[in-house]
Amino acid sequence: MSISDYLDYKSASRRSNTGFTIVELLVVMGITAILFTSLVFYSRTAEKQLILFKEQMKIITALQKAKSLAIVAFSESQTTCGYGVNFDKTNNKMTIFKEQPASGNNSCSTRDHIYTSIDEFYEEIKLDNRTIKFGNLINSDGGVFADIVFISPEPIIVIDDSSSEFATIEITDILGVNKKFVKVTDAGQITAQ
């Protein structure tokens, strides 16, 4: 065996006997812990955003349903003046209601454009109150509103019996950090923001 063969053999055996040092293992474990923590934080943030988006879609669906019902109501034989959505910020829910003329009257000219009685009730939709709540409900005049009514056949949109051009519905997480908006114009356009 020559000297070069012997040196090659010794250097090869040294490499095979070496392992990771404690410092190297600690560095790898530290980097892994940081990556894992980032992943958990990211997934929690994404989960909150998905829940907020889902609740925003509930609002849009309720508004679209009321709008569709108002258009269909035009062909109904009984007196129906339209459909609307009442936003109950205190109880974190929405109520789709059937707009009725004043009691004892069959003329829609006597309608009030607000949810007033259980006789007008159509459907109730609740937000997930463990994670989401209503924020501000603001109309274009800067005032607070509670009802959006779609009156057939066009449909005409009335926001709390006023001449507001649009209404903005805000939902937020419980801490008020993340927010989503739904905007309804007097032309019937419903958009997510």
Side-chain angles (χ1 to χ4, degrees), residues 105-166:
N105 194 331
N106 286 335
S107 172
C108 282
S109 63
T110 61
R111 64 186 174 254
D112 57 4
H113 306 296
I114 56 174
Y115 181 57
T116 53
S117 71
I118 196 70
D119 294 335
E120 293 182 329
F121 179 82
Y122 183 80
E123 181 180 355
E124 181 178 277
I125 302 162
K126 293 184 178 186
L127 295 183
D128 183 358
N129 60 4
R130 296 169 295 160
T131 55
I132 304 296
K133 64 181 180 177
F134 279 112
N136 295 320
L137 303 171
I138 305 292
N139 61 25
S140 61
D141 303 327
V144 177
F145 74 94
D147 298 291
I148 297 176
V149 181
F150 300 91
I151 302 168
S152 52
E154 289 91 15
I156 298 168
I157 288 73
V158 179
I159 301 165
D160 264 357
D161 201 20
S162 69
S163 60
S164 295
E165 295 176 6
F166 64 86

Side-chain angles (χ1 to χ4, degrees), residues 12-79:
S13 67
R14 260 193 235 135
R15 277 185 251 143
S16 65
N17 290 337
T18 61
F20 296 109
T21 65
I22 291 185
V23 172
E24 290 171 328
L25 288 173
L26 288 174
V27 167
V28 169
M29 288 173 51
I31 291 172
T32 304
I34 290 170
L35 290 174
F36 182 74
T37 304
S38 299
L39 180 65
V40 168
F41 178 73
Y42 176 75
S43 69
R44 300 253 182 203
T45 303
E47 180 184 15
K48 288 178 184 177
Q49 288 294 329
L50 285 173
I51 291 170
L52 200 58
F53 179 73
K54 183 184 97 176
E55 298 301 309
Q56 181 186 36
M57 289 301 108
K58 273 187 188 177
I59 294 169
I60 292 172
T61 301
L63 290 165
Q64 289 287 5
K65 187 171 190 175
K67 183 178 177 181
S68 297
L69 287 168
I71 293 168
V72 171
F74 185 67
S75 64
E76 290 180 358
S77 59
Q78 58 187 2
T79 305

